[in-house]
DNA sequence: TTTTAAATGATAGCAATACTATCATAAATA
DNA sequence: TATTTATGATAGTATTGCTATCATTTAAAA
């Protein structure tokens, strides 16, 4: 079974839907490879154009600027993550088990897909860890937010918050805890690899370090 | 009593010590104002040069690029924060009280200083919230880290971790929890203001929201 | 005080970035 | 077949992110 996942991405993020053409699809796929490789600051439309054997002009017809392209990629990721959460919680009745599955999803790499048209999930993961905060930590976040471009993030957050509330209905900060789990997963993965002194990772405990830290934190916070 | 705080900032961060001259000092002070006003992406040395009635060339003699200047500002902040923690915990013996003081420091604006030569603490706070992650979420973080430019952050983290351990010696992740407290303070402050749906802030509970969330999280995590 | 050294300001210049515009051609649709 | 639409090729512009030169001002050493 070789299937492909598509999500309805907010139309305000792009000028022309990249899903509507081959160059468009290639553009997003290669953007993921290139942002992973260069980092968002060094990534340019010029470099991407060369990579897809096209021109800057063509890319600008799809995306206003590289910030919007990153936003597109992250919207896809948030939708994908919400889909995965829904999918994996299917038929799991134990609330604690549900939360464990969520922590696992947030702290492990996605399974690589077979389809070669698909985005590189390993790269996507790293982009989310290293670059995602750059889409909202900007001066004009309020203006950008008006177009509802963060809705998939808010939806994912709300979904996790629901599971949190069903596990402990008395807990007062389900959404803040939800974003904390998401953001902390990124931070701890980044820190444990790049600035390990900011974490408690060590040679003995480096297996699933972030996962164990987050799970411990989550269940302690939600304990009565 | 009008005193000024100075910290020994890692020499590898700058080319020429900005503390050694008037333009240098003005440069850093005005950089804080300008980064606050424009956001780090829109901030340029050209704009800063105009602001201090000098030239780009002069600024480049002090800092290699704007990333280094931001790093300098954050180094100052981390030193300042560690100083404040040390200072405020003085003579406080109750461990729980100590942790409460730390949470308060992480989630509230600094008291504005009287000295007009001092950095604008309100702006500094906002910069830390919105821009601090941009100094380490870069592709060449490993190379940058070699110069020990993140030492003040690690020291602050270690200091808070010590208090955590003294409160609960059995807790296994004091440093990760420490960075989580710091980073989450920033996130929740940013989100509760800009993307409130990612938090549990509301009209009724907006007073010290982040503070209460973090404090609840901390003591739940550290409870037996 | 004079000499010397160092820091600054003014100016120039350059390659890369972040776009915008035009137009011919190719591809898709009517 | 005619017509719309997308692409590629090319050009151009303002800004950014630097580096280099040199005269002048300021500070330190002799």
């Amino acid at each position: 079974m070789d299937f492909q996942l598509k999500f309805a991405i907010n139309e305000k993020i792009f000028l022309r839907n990249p899903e509507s053409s081959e160059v468009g699809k290639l553009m997003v796929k290669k953007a993921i490879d290139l942002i992973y490789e260069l980092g968002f600051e060094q990534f340019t439309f010029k470099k991407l154009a060369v990579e897809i054997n096209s021109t800057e002009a063509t890319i600008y017809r799809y995306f206003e600027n590289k910030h919007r392209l990153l936003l597109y990629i992250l919207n896809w990721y948030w939708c994908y993550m919400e889909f995965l959460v829904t999918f994996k919680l299917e038929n799991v009745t134990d609330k604690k088990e549900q939360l464990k599955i969520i922590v696992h999803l947030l702290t492990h790499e996605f399974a690589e897909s077979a389809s070669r048209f698909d985005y590189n999930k390993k790269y996507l993961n790293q982009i989310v860890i290293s670059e995602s905060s750059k889409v909202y930590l900007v001066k004009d976040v309020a203006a950008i937010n008006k177009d509802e471009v963060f809705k998939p993030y808010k939806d994912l957050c709300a979904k996790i918050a629901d599971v949190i509330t069903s596990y402990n209905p008395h807990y007062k900060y389900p959404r803040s805890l939800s974003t904390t789990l998401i953001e902390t997963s990124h931070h701890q993965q980044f820190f444990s690899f790049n600035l390990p002194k900011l974490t408690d990772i060590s040679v003995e405990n480096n297996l699933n370090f972030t996962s164990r830290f987050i799970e411990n934190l989550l269940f302690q916070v939600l304990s009565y």
Side-chain angles (χ1 to χ4, degrees), chain A residues 5-224:
Chain A
L5 279 170
K6 302 219 176 179
F7 301 106
I9 306 293
N10 183 334
E11 309 234 327
K12 299 222 168 148
I13 293 173
F14 49 74
L15 299 169
R16 211 205 292 308
N17 193 339
E19 279 301 312
S20 72
S21 75
E22 290 307 311
V23 244
K25 279 182 250 181
L26 188 62
M27 183 177 302
V28 176
K29 183 174 162 53
K30 289 283 180 185
I32 290 170
D33 298 349
L34 220 48
I35 292 172
Y36 168 79
E37 192 188 319
L38 305 172
F40 189 60
E41 286 75 20
Q42 302 306 312
F43 167 81
T44 67
F45 276 4
K46 177 78 216 163
K47 290 170 185 169
L48 179 57
V50 171
E51 200 71 15
I52 62 173
N53 289 308
S54 179
T55 60
E56 275 183 279
T58 301
I59 302 171
Y60 275 109
R61 284 180 189 115
Y62 286 86
F63 296 100
E64 218 179 308
N65 51 49
K66 68 174 182 174
H67 182 269
R68 289 277 153 160
L69 176 46
L70 181 60
L71 196 51
Y72 180 90
I73 292 167
L74 287 168
N75 265 260
W76 193 91
Y77 167 82
W78 289 321
C79 289
Y80 183 54
M81 187 53 92
E82 198 198 331
F83 165 81
L84 280 182
V85 169
T86 309
F87 188 78
K88 297 269 184 181
L89 295 192
E90 192 81 354
N91 302 321
V92 178
T93 46
D94 184 47
K95 304 298 180 189
K96 184 160 193 167
E97 193 52 38
Q98 290 192 337
L99 287 174
K100 281 186 180 180
I101 289 167
I102 289 170
V103 172
H104 190 275
L105 282 171
L106 291 176
T107 54
H108 287 76
E109 281 185 4
F110 296 139
E112 201 49 64
S113 117
S115 169
R116 80 207 136 83
F117 302 107
D118 214 356
Y119 304 147
N120 185 318
K121 298 281 169 52
K122 185 182 148 77
Y123 293 175
L124 184 59
N125 244 300
Q126 287 303 314
I127 290 174
V128 171
I129 290 171
S130 303
E131 322 289 357
S132 64
S133 63
K134 295 168 191 170
V135 303
Y136 54 76
L137 291 179
V138 290
K139 203 69 197 174
D140 55 344
V141 59
I144 299 173
N145 187 36
K146 286 221 177 77
D147 288 338
E148 301 201 285
V149 298
F150 297 116
K151 190 168 181 296
Y153 189 12
K154 293 171 186 171
D155 289 349
L156 172 62
C157 167
K159 169 144 240 144
I160 296 173
D162 282 349
V163 181
I164 288 170
T165 300
S166 76
Y167 178 82
N168 180 347
H170 302 295
Y171 183 65
K172 284 188 290 182
Y173 312 102
R175 281 190 288 185
S176 284
L177 182 56
S178 195
T179 45
T180 299
L181 294 179
I182 295 168
E183 299 297 330
T184 303
S185 298
H186 304 158
H187 273 117
Q188 293 296 315
Q189 286 181 82
F190 185 89
F191 287 152
S192 61
F193 187 80
N194 296 290
L195 302 167
K197 286 218 179 104
L198 290 175
T199 72
D200 299 279
I201 200 168
S202 65
V203 264
E204 308 95 56
N205 76 352
N206 68 346
L207 195 70
N208 295 330
F209 171 76
T210 303
S211 185
R212 285 183 288 113
F213 167 67
I214 300 275
E215 201 174 294
N216 171 278
L217 180 135
L218 175 60
F219 291 114
Q220 280 292 116
V221 169
L222 295 180
S223 67
Y224 295 87

